[in-house]
């Protein structure tokens, strides 16, 4: 399943809530995660992969490495 505001690694999606005005009227709004498109070199396959990641997902890739991150994404059944 692909969605524009969806992190492939952490699974973060938009949250939904209400905007509350000064007069306390409520209207629906959406809290989008900080999604970035990042390109990484995947040495084991000799190619680049482009991932849609949240800011936290980018930090996770920096910590665990791209190979482990791609393995986690594939374990969830997503194509990379």
């Amino acid at each position: 399943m692909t969605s524009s505001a969806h992190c492939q690694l952490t699974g973060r999606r938009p949250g939904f809530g209400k905007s509350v005005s000064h007069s306390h009227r409520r209207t629906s709004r959406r809290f989008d995660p900080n999604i970035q498109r990042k390109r990484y070199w995947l040495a084991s396959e000799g190619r680049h992969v482009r991932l849609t990641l949240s800011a936290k997902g980018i930090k996770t890739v920096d910590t665990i490495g791209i190979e482990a991150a791609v393995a986690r994404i594939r374990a969830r059944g997503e194509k990379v």
Side-chain angles (χ1 to χ4, degrees), residues 5-64:
H6 165 246
C7 178
Q8 290 181 289
L9 183 59
T10 62
R12 287 179 183 232
R13 291 183 177 278
F16 295 88
K18 300 284 187 185
S19 289
V20 183
S21 71
H22 178 68
S23 65
H24 219 63
R25 286 178 62 107
R26 293 184 168 116
T27 54
S28 294
R29 63 158 293 181
R30 183 173 139 142
F31 297 87
D32 285 326
N34 184 3
I35 296 294
Q36 312 289 328
R37 299 258 298 153
K38 287 281 283 181
R39 189 168 165 249
Y40 291 98
W41 175 251
L42 196 58
S44 64
E45 297 180 20
R47 69 185 184 103
H48 285 97
V49 291
R50 191 176 299 275
L51 300 176
T52 305
L53 300 171
S54 62
K56 172 139 188 182
I58 293 169
K59 292 174 189 173
T60 303
V61 170
D62 292 344
T63 304
I64 67 173

